[in-house]
Amino acid sequence: MKGIRRLAQELDISIGTISRALNGRADVSPDTRQRVLEAAAAMGYVPNQAGRSLRQGNTNAIGFMIELGADVNGGNDNFFMGVFDGVQSVLARHHLDLIVLPCPTGEDPAVYLQRMMARRLVDGLIISATHRKDTRIDMLTKMRIPFITLGRSNTPGDYPWIDLDFDGAARRAIDRLVSAGHSRIAVAVPGNDINLGFIFLDGYKAALARHGIAFDPSMVFRVPSSELGGYQLGHELLAMKDRPSAVILNYELLALGLYRQLGEAGLQAGRDLAVIGFRENPVSRYMSPRLTCFRLSLTGLGAAIGEALLATMPAYAEAYPLGRTQRIWPMELVPGESDGA
């Protein structure tokens, strides 16, 4: 309070007005807010956020939990940066901050989340890398903390989620390859319990059945979600006596490693093996041959996640009358040269 009192004396403005200006409240004129911010900067004054949070009962921050490690989200991918940007664009409307909560490799995500929640760092939460049975969902529901999941889960409950159209991507990839004459079509999925891999595999199986192609378990490859996983995939494919003529990838960075392995064997995607990647990213645009893959708006996805979360929080629900969102996020197939079509 000493700092804010000094500011009030220096500017001859009430402490209440100083506080509202520092908090970005709309009932303070732009000129007054600018005077307060400039004076605070000159004094080196920074509001005590911890004390303010205790008094107000909130933190004015939203957490976004991600899991580190190549098996979960690769290592050199820009996916989350785009999503963060979209989420923050929504939070900024309400002077809310986004705090990224990275769960270390090897730590139980539920244990990590419980520790973060005990510290009361955030008012609401976004969790990613949802598992088929995700104990974090049960935990947050019991704790009555507003949350949304990026990804579906088999965990029961009426909670909000937004997920990529993994089923649709698998279906469109199979349709494209079958129309080009392929029938031995392999698929690469994560080798862990992340639910997206199971959704993608179910879509793959259903699409094969629709075309009258029998499912062959030997065509399913479980590899790490990384460039190394793609290189491993290429090695395993080339070692098969009766190799598939096409492969569908469930993660964007797999294509880099697969291209490398094919190149070392004197082979090429689109000529010797039809390849359909997952998500278009800055690297895939410069691969040769150009990768056939899927496009989506990451900032749009992030903004939708942010709005759907705020819709569950009483302080913001009136601005976002969305109800409880459960939504599949569309993906557009971008034709390239890697599938030989």
Side-chain angles (χ1 to χ4, degrees):
M1 288 297 291
K2 289 181 180 179
I4 200 170
R5 284 198 183 100
R6 183 181 166 194
L7 266 176
Q9 291 170 358
E10 291 277 348
L11 300 174
D12 194 23
I13 298 175
S14 70
I15 290 177
T17 300
I18 295 289
S19 177
R20 292 196 299 277
L22 291 172
N23 289 326
R25 293 280 293 274
D27 56 353
V28 178
S29 72
D31 288 343
T32 299
R33 181 180 299 109
Q34 187 63 28
R35 284 182 61 206
V36 171
L37 293 176
E38 289 176 357
M43 288 175 53
Y45 172 73
V46 178
N48 186 333
Q49 180 63 46
R52 186 168 63 190
S53 297
L54 287 173
R55 291 191 300 273
Q56 296 177 347
N58 56 53
T59 65
N60 292 323
I62 298 297
F64 197 131
M65 178 179 169
I66 63 173
E67 295 182 34
L68 302 178
D71 246 4
V72 179
N73 64 9
N76 300 309
D77 184 25
N78 67 339
F79 177 87
F80 281 110
M81 297 307 295
V83 175
F84 293 159
D85 188 34
V87 173
Q88 186 63 72
S89 72
V90 173
L91 301 186
R93 302 170 193 166
H94 308 281
H95 305 289
L96 299 173
D97 294 318
L98 180 65
I99 297 178
V100 178
L101 303 173
C103 179
T105 303
E107 181 167 5
D108 185 330
V111 174
Y112 173 83
L113 179 61
Q114 188 173 37
R115 188 169 71 251
M116 294 301 103
M117 292 301 97
R119 294 178 180 174
R120 300 183 180 180
L121 298 174
V122 296
D123 299 325
L125 194 69
I126 302 162
I127 60 175
S128 61
T130 48
H131 296 252
R132 300 185 82 188
K133 173 60 177 174
D134 204 313
T135 55
R136 297 174 299 172
I137 294 173
D138 292 331
M139 180 192 307
L140 293 170
T141 301
K142 291 175 182 176
M143 296 173 71
R144 299 182 181 274
I145 294 174
F147 75 96
I148 184 172
T149 67
L150 173 53
R152 286 163 281 176
S153 170
N154 289 348
T155 303
D158 186 23
Y159 51 88
W161 53 261
I162 296 180
D163 199 5
L164 303 186
D165 189 9
F166 293 101
D167 178 81
R171 173 175 49 80
R172 289 192 292 276
I174 289 291
D175 290 348
R176 181 175 172 87
L177 291 170
V178 171
S179 69
H182 297 279
S183 58
R184 284 185 60 76
I185 305 171
V187 63
V189 294
N192 52 32
D193 195 49
I194 302 297
N195 199 39
L196 64 87
F198 295 93
I199 294 173
F200 195 83
L201 185 57
D202 286 344
Y204 163 83
K205 292 177 180 178
L208 288 178
R210 196 175 68 254
H211 287 285
I213 300 174
F215 170 66
D216 182 353
S218 71
M219 293 288 102
V220 179
F221 296 84
R222 299 189 178 276
V223 295
S225 299
S226 64
E227 299 95 326
L228 180 59
Y231 191 81
Q232 174 186 326
L233 169 66
H235 177 77
E236 294 181 16
L237 286 172
L238 297 181
M240 297 180 69
K241 289 184 178 180
D242 187 11
R243 294 204 308 254
S245 61
V247 62
I248 304 170
L249 309 180
N250 183 234
Y251 191 76
E252 41 268 39
L253 297 182
L254 292 175
L256 294 175
L258 177 58
Y259 269 45
R260 173 66 181 269
Q261 180 66 264
L262 291 175
E264 290 179 358
L267 305 176
Q268 180 178 299
R271 184 190 67 196
D272 304 293
L273 177 70
V275 178
I276 294 184
F278 186 61
R279 182 181 66 86
E280 181 185 54
N281 61 40
V283 174
S284 67
R285 297 182 188 127
Y286 298 99
M287 295 175 65
S288 180
R290 187 162 48 87
L291 186 66
T292 297
C293 54
F294 294 87
R295 177 183 297 155
L296 70 151
S297 169
L298 294 180
T299 54
L301 172 62
I305 291 170
E307 292 182 349
L309 174 60
L310 294 186
T312 70
M313 303 173 68
Y316 311 101
E318 187 175 346
Y320 304 99
L322 306 176
R324 198 167 298 277
T325 300
Q326 294 183 336
R327 180 180 177 186
I328 302 295
W329 193 257
M331 302 180 68
E332 171 195 0
L333 190 141
V334 182
E337 304 155 338
S338 63
D339 58 341

